Amino acid sequence: MLFVALLLAALIGAATATVLAVRGLRAVFRKNERLRAAALLAGAATVGVYAWGLLHLGHAVLGAEDGGAGSFPIAPCREAGPQWSSQVDGYDVSYLPLRFECHLSGGGAYVTSAVPGYVTPTTIILGLIAATCGALATRTAERTRPSVP
């Protein structure tokens, strides 16, 4: 069930990124909307990269929930080698930062490489750029708006 939720979230993220990108590209060609365009395009990239990470996370969950032959140890947890993966008794998913953790029977956990390492830093940097450009665009628009008597 978690896989379906992650897939749905990734699809919604992809659709949102597409809408933001189209709005941003339209704003590029309007006069005095360059900052707004940058904010929309950076926002689209932020949502797109996060959705990409959700797809990777969903793939790891799908592998973990596969109950067929060879399902132990959990497929995404095998990368740590047989010494660690034989002690895995469960997994956990984190959404901020995006990651897949394998829990060990003796306590502790380790993070797998199911989600590429560039997803979280890229999402944070692009999000900060989008927020900064959005704030500057709002401030600029308020300053240039004609006052009504």
Side-chain angles (χ1 to χ4, degrees), residues 87-111:
Q87 299 177 29
V88 172
D89 66 352
Y91 69 92
D92 195 21
V93 171
S94 173
Y95 300 103
L96 230 158
L98 278 178
R99 65 180 174 202
F100 187 91
E101 291 182 351
C102 299
H103 291 275
L104 302 173
S105 57
Y110 63 92
V111 177

Side-chain angles (χ1 to χ4, degrees), residues 65-72:
E65 293 180 351
D66 179 25
S71 62
F72 184 81

Side-chain angles (χ1 to χ4, degrees), residues 48-142:
V49 170
Y50 191 79
W52 180 246
L54 286 174
L55 281 176
H56 282 278
L57 194 60
H59 183 262
V61 168
L62 183 63
E65 293 180 351
D66 179 25
S71 62
F72 184 81
I74 297 173
C77 299
R78 292 182 194 155
E79 70 185 35
Q83 184 178 6
W84 286 98
S85 62
S86 63
Q87 299 177 29
V88 172
D89 66 352
Y91 69 92
D92 195 21
V93 171
S94 173
Y95 300 103
L96 230 158
L98 278 178
R99 65 180 174 202
F100 187 91
E101 291 182 351
C102 299
H103 291 275
L104 302 173
S105 57
Y110 63 92
V111 177
T112 68
S113 63
V115 179
Y118 63 83
V119 170
T120 298
T122 303
T123 302
I124 291 169
I125 291 168
L126 287 171
L128 290 173
I129 291 170
T132 303
C133 289
L136 290 172
T138 302
R139 191 166 187 219
T140 303
E142 288 173 357

